[in-house]
Amino acid sequence: MVNLPLFRVPESKKPYTTTSYPVYSHNWSLVSVGCTQTLRLTLWGKTAISDRPTAQKEHKSKKPYLYSKLTSKPKRVFTNSNIPLPELVNCPIFRVPKSKKSNLYFLASKPKRVFTNATIPPPEWIQPFIDLSDLVTERKDLKPSPWVSQILNLLDNSPSMEHNLDAYCCKFLIKLSSSFVAYILKSDNLLGKPDIAFRFFFWAGKQKGYAHNCECYVFLIQILSSSRELDRIKYVFSEFKDKGLLMNVVVVNSLISSFGELGMVEELLWVWRKMKENDIEPSLYTYNFLMNGLVNSMFIESAERVLEVMESGKVNPDIVTYNTMIKGYCRSGKLQKAMEKFRDMEVRKVEPDKITHMTLMQACYAEGDFDSCLGFYHEMEEKDLDIPPHAYTLVIGGLCKTGKVLEGFTVFENMIKNGFKPNLSIYTVLIDSYMKHGNLDEGMRLFDRMKNEGFEPDEVTFGVIVSGLCKSGKLDEAVQWLEYCRNNDVAVNAMFYSSLIDGLGKAGRVDEARELFEEMAEKECTRDSYCYNTLIDALAKNGKIDEAMVIFKRMEDEGCDQTVYTYTILISGLFKEHQNEEALKLWHMMIDKGITPNAASFRALSTGLCLSGKVARACKILDELAPMGVILETAFEDMINVLCKAGRIKEACKLADGIVDRGREIPGKIRTVLINALRKTGNADMAVKLMHSKIGIGYDRMGSIKRRVKFRVLVES
């Protein structure tokens, strides 16, 4: 046994005599001799002795000494009052620093329990604000606790973030209360940091004796919704539902707003039902958040019912409510209903604002109703509403698309007068309009003005210039602009190439057009359907139908969509080359692929069949389209015009009789079509004769039989 010193809890100032304590087969004793105290331990016949000086002065106080049996497996600890103490594990002796009241001596490197006269206090639940008791009456006067900044500094999203939080809280004997956690989650420091917020939330939930409150869940869902973390939101909300926490109107509004923005209708309706079950009266904000959620999820009819409840209930809809409903109608393509709701606002004395007008302007522009778009713009001017730059873009674009470039330029000047600087898009739209209407000089003048204003033209701007030059036949200038873009590292897009290929093809410069087409592949510029169609059209119109068919096959091999326009070009070209059967095969191929024919495609087919003497075949194909839901109102008119133009008046009259006899069209309309066709093809005499006769619409009576006068009488007579 090794000699070990004995330490004791504060010395008694009264001298002690030898005291022995029998412990099973071992002995240990304390002997006081003069100024020295000796510990004598006898363990299985072996003795260990430790000496130390004692106090010279006698004291009245008598406090118990702490003695421990030093064995390999000590069982108990005793004092001189013979009171047994809890077990200690086997370990070396050391001293805990002295306190004013007591000293602690024990035998442990990892003690299971430690007892002192004064125990360590439990951790304190900290709050997010400094507690000033009754001095503070309003929440806005509260100052954040210093703990807030310290905890925020630890939220660094590092792998050891949770460990750092544990160590910090253990060091300062603190725990974070649910209100503190909610305050941290609400702080601006965690905006846009869903990972940190999510990790902090679940770390806080593992604190002993802790439970999240409603605000913790609400603020975390707000952070996650801003980053559209749908899976995490569903997980957190599932836990929220399981907790069964009592919601208030603020919590309801926040959850409905978050779920509404994300289109999470199932969660949104759950909150709404719980609100009703808890007898929480919905506010105007609650209704608006609910409607916004329904509209974002395209539940337009449900949003309509909510609006009806508001209009007939205690909570009247406001401008936000109507704007939301109008937005829903516009998104679902119900522009007419949106207009009706706009007028209903005026009846209910809810003044439309800038958002109302802008929503309707965008919808009208998308539907091609440029006149209504312009009307809303003028209304905004009359009401002195703030007109955003995007409104000018819509109005100028709409006017230019309808050919009213001068009016568009007037709005452009008003925009500058009102202090708004036009952007590159507005300049490009105006330049494109000038170019399309053949006013190249004005377009180029505006182009120079744009550059002087500091705008650098992009590939779209150069594309509209090249397109205008090609349509005006100035191909050499267009090619020069292509060289300028190449030399100045300006990206050339597919539209740029397509305009040049189309212009060169129409001018008969097919080889140059094909070279540009191949250059697109070398430059890794995507060749779309429009680009393929322009080259196929150029080849077909220049009598190179075989090469056009090769490009058509490449189009299919490269996965580019073949459109109805592609087939129309090839069918027309094949008929011109008298490859009628090949043209018919392409027609049936188009039908088999599910591509719906339009008036232009049938016109190409019927023209080729009529000119090749197969009028009946054209009529049969037209009849086959009706069950497919394809109704071509001008088909017969086109066929009659083709026959009259080719001088085949007899066949045109025969076709007209067949149309009327089968009840496909009224006689008067066909008669008018035939008169116009004759007049346009130079057969004015026949047109006048038909107009002043009963042919087509009159009847001849033969006995009791009444028969309509046939159109063929015009030719036979």
Side-chain angles (χ1 to χ4, degrees):
M1 182 67 186
V2 184
N3 289 335
L4 297 173
L6 175 69
F7 300 92
R8 60 179 177 133
V9 185
E11 298 178 7
S12 170
K13 297 179 182 179
K14 183 177 180 181
Y16 279 78
T17 58
T18 301
T19 307
S20 297
Y21 298 90
V23 183
Y24 303 104
S25 62
H26 315 306
N27 242 335
W28 64 304
S29 59
L30 179 65
V31 182
S32 297
V33 182
C35 296
T36 304
Q37 287 185 337
T38 301
L39 175 68
R40 186 187 301 275
L41 275 77
T42 304
L43 307 175
W44 291 286
K46 295 183 181 181
T47 302
I49 300 174
S50 177
D51 298 333
R52 67 176 176 80
T54 59
Q56 298 297 317
K57 190 175 180 180
E58 188 177 83
H59 294 275
K60 296 180 181 179
S61 61
K62 183 178 180 179
K63 296 186 179 180
Y65 289 98
L66 178 66
Y67 304 100
S68 176
K69 170 192 169 190
L70 301 179
T71 69
S72 59
K73 295 183 179 178
K75 296 294 182 179
R76 298 180 182 276
V77 176
F78 299 94
T79 66
N80 57 359
S81 58
N82 206 23
I83 299 174
L85 295 178
E87 291 181 6
L88 295 177
V89 298
N90 185 29
C91 50
I93 300 176
F94 62 92
R95 178 192 296 211
V96 177
K98 291 182 178 181
S99 67
K100 293 181 181 180
K101 292 185 178 181
S102 66
N103 291 334
L104 174 67
Y105 306 91
F106 59 92
L107 304 170
S109 59
K110 293 183 180 178
K112 290 183 179 176
R113 298 183 185 177
V114 177
F115 292 88
T116 65
N117 293 342
T119 58
I120 298 173
E124 178 187 357
W125 293 101
I126 59 173
Q127 302 299 325
F129 298 102
I130 299 174
D131 185 10
L132 299 178
S133 302
D134 298 332
L135 298 179
V136 177
T137 57
E138 296 185 12
R139 189 177 181 84
K140 65 180 182 180
D141 297 326
L142 295 175
K143 294 183 179 179
S145 167
W147 297 111
V148 172
S149 60
Q150 297 297 323
I151 295 298
L152 285 172
N153 290 336
L154 295 173
L155 303 181
D156 54 3
N157 207 26
S158 65
S160 60
M161 187 180 81
E162 288 83 357
H163 174 74
N164 296 339
L165 287 166
D166 284 331
Y168 187 84
C169 292
C170 183
K171 178 180 178 181
F172 292 99
L173 295 175
I174 60 172
K175 289 184 180 180
L176 311 188
S177 64
S178 57
S179 58
F180 189 95
V181 172
Y183 186 81
I184 293 292
L185 291 170
K186 187 182 178 182
S187 68
D188 295 338
N189 298 61
L190 294 187
L191 287 177
K193 299 176 181 178
D195 293 334
I196 296 177
F198 192 75
R199 289 175 62 183
F200 172 69
F201 176 84
F202 278 96
W203 171 86
K206 294 178 182 179
Q207 297 179 103
K208 188 175 180 180
Y210 174 88
H212 289 302
N213 59 17
C214 271
E215 286 73 18
C216 295
Y217 288 98
V218 168
F219 295 143
L220 178 61
I221 289 174
Q222 286 179 354
I223 295 171
L224 296 175
S225 63
S226 64
S227 302
R228 305 191 72 82
E229 299 271 350
L230 299 184
D231 292 336
R232 284 181 173 177
I233 291 174
K234 289 180 180 179
Y235 182 82
V236 173
F237 187 63
S238 176
E239 182 179 308
F240 173 78
K241 291 192 292 185
D242 293 340
K243 295 287 184 182
L245 298 173
L246 187 63
M247 297 185 293
N248 56 31
V249 68
V250 177
V251 172
V252 167
N253 288 347
S254 178
L255 290 174
I256 290 179
S257 175
S258 297
F259 295 144
E261 289 294 333
L262 297 172
M264 301 174 69
V265 180
E266 184 179 345
E267 289 78 5
L268 184 148
L269 294 178
W270 184 91
V271 175
W272 181 263
R273 287 194 298 270
K274 283 295 179 183
M275 182 193 71
K276 292 293 186 181
E277 291 174 7
N278 295 332
D279 295 327
I280 300 175
E281 284 296 326
S283 64
L284 177 61
Y285 295 106
T286 313
Y287 278 115
N288 285 342
F289 290 144
L290 176 63
M291 283 196 61
N292 187 54
L294 294 171
V295 166
N296 288 339
S297 304
M298 298 306 293
F299 285 84
I300 307 302
E301 293 181 0
S302 299
E304 284 180 319
R305 288 195 291 270
V306 173
L307 181 59
E308 290 171 2
V309 170
M310 294 179 69
E311 289 176 339
S312 60
K314 299 177 182 179
V315 181
N316 293 321
D318 64 351
I319 181 64
V320 176
T321 317
Y322 282 107
N323 284 347
T324 304
M325 193 70 253
I326 289 173
K327 178 180 71 173
Y329 285 137
C330 292
R331 283 186 178 181
S332 58
K334 299 177 180 179
L335 183 57
Q336 190 61 36
K337 280 196 171 185
M339 293 287 199
E340 292 174 3
K341 193 58 64 179
F342 177 77
R343 289 189 287 269
D344 191 42
M345 290 174 65
E346 297 178 351
V347 174
R348 293 182 176 273
K349 297 181 180 180
V350 179
E351 190 66 25
D353 62 358
K354 177 178 70 175
I355 296 175
T356 317
H357 288 85
M358 285 300 301
T359 303
L360 288 168
M361 282 181 69
Q362 292 183 32
C364 292
Y365 184 87
E367 292 288 330
D369 188 359
F370 302 123
D371 291 336
S372 296
C373 184
L374 182 63
F376 284 116
Y377 165 75
H378 288 312
E379 188 172 328
M380 290 179 75
E381 281 187 323
E382 292 171 2
K383 294 182 177 180
D384 200 22
L385 294 174
D386 180 28
I387 303 176
H390 184 55
Y392 290 106
T393 304
L394 293 174
V395 173
I396 293 171
L399 290 170
C400 290
K401 284 186 177 183
T402 54
K404 301 176 181 178
V405 62
L406 294 178
E407 294 181 34
F409 189 77
T410 302
V411 175
F412 172 79
E413 294 293 350
N414 288 338
M415 178 182 181
I416 298 174
K417 182 180 177 181
N418 292 333
F420 291 104
K421 189 176 181 180
N423 54 29
L424 182 62
S425 175
I426 293 177
Y427 274 111
T428 302
V429 167
L430 283 169
I431 293 170
D432 183 43
S433 184
Y434 278 123
M435 289 290 186
K436 284 180 177 177
H437 290 84
N439 197 343
L440 302 184
D441 294 336
E442 196 63 39
M444 294 307 299
R445 192 177 297 114
L446 191 60
F447 177 75
D448 293 334
R449 176 178 172 179
M450 179 189 73
K451 291 197 294 184
N452 293 333
E453 290 287 336
F455 291 100
E456 194 65 31
D458 59 4
E459 66 271 16
V460 179
T461 312
F462 284 115
V464 299
I465 291 175
V466 168
S467 177
L469 292 171
C470 288
K471 288 179 180 178
S472 300
K474 297 184 177 182
L475 295 174
D476 293 333
E477 289 186 40
V479 173
Q480 289 176 6
W481 279 109
L482 175 62
E483 292 297 329
Y484 173 85
C485 291
R486 287 171 176 168
N487 297 331
N488 290 274
D489 296 327
V490 177
V492 180
N493 58 19
M495 186 59 67
F496 195 111
Y497 276 111
S498 299
S499 298
L500 275 173
I501 292 170
D502 185 50
L504 292 170
K506 288 178 178 177
R509 297 161 66 172
V510 182
D511 293 335
E512 294 178 59
R514 186 166 33 222
E515 287 177 6
L516 284 178
F517 182 80
E518 299 300 337
E519 182 183 308
M520 291 180 69
E522 296 172 4
K523 299 283 186 180
E524 297 183 352
C525 180
T526 304
R527 297 182 290 201
D528 56 8
S529 299
Y530 180 74
C531 186
Y532 271 101
N533 289 341
T534 53
L535 181 60
I536 291 172
D537 187 50
L539 292 169
K541 286 180 178 177
N542 284 275
K544 298 183 178 182
I545 190 63
D546 294 334
E547 294 183 34
M549 291 299 295
V550 172
I551 299 297
F552 173 77
K553 186 67 171 59
R554 279 179 62 183
M555 185 179 186
E556 186 175 13
D557 294 340
E558 293 182 10
C560 186
D561 293 333
Q562 297 166 334
T563 65
V564 65
Y565 184 56
T566 314
Y567 285 96
T568 302
I569 294 169
L570 289 171
I571 289 170
S572 178
L574 288 168
F575 272 120
K576 285 180 181 178
E577 296 297 322
H578 306 291
Q579 299 183 29
N580 298 353
E581 292 304 318
E582 292 297 323
L584 285 169
K585 285 181 182 178
L586 272 183
W587 173 267
H588 293 301
M589 182 190 297
M590 178 181 70
I591 299 296
D592 292 340
K593 286 187 176 181
I595 300 174
T596 304
N598 56 18
S601 60
F602 182 77
R603 188 181 302 117
L605 178 72
S606 61
T607 299
L609 290 174
C610 288
L611 294 179
S612 59
K614 298 179 180 179
V615 178
R617 182 78 177 269
C619 292
K620 182 180 178 182
I621 292 175
L622 183 61
D623 291 340
E624 292 172 353
L625 293 177
M628 298 168 54
V630 179
I631 307 298
L632 305 175
E633 295 180 357
T634 62
F636 291 118
E637 182 178 350
D638 294 336
M639 293 167 68
I640 292 172
N641 285 333
V642 167
L643 290 171
C644 289
K645 189 175 181 180
R648 302 179 181 182
I649 308 299
K650 186 175 180 180
E651 292 182 37
C653 292
K654 185 178 178 181
L655 175 61
D657 285 329
I659 294 170
V660 174
D661 290 344
R662 295 183 183 182
R664 294 172 179 165
E665 194 58 79
I666 58 175
K669 184 175 181 179
I670 294 299
R671 184 171 183 265
T672 303
V673 169
L674 191 56
I675 290 172
N676 290 332
L678 291 169
R679 182 176 54 81
K680 288 178 182 178
T681 55
N683 295 302
D685 294 339
M686 279 193 175
V688 172
K689 181 181 178 181
L690 178 60
M691 185 171 57
H692 292 288
S693 68
K694 297 190 299 180
I695 296 175
I697 58 172
Y699 291 88
D700 288 336
R701 184 178 294 276
M702 297 179 63
S704 60
I705 301 174
K706 185 179 180 182
R707 295 180 179 177
R708 181 182 60 82
V709 180
K710 302 289 186 180
F711 285 105
R712 67 174 68 98
V713 174
L714 179 65
V715 181
E716 293 173 354
S717 60

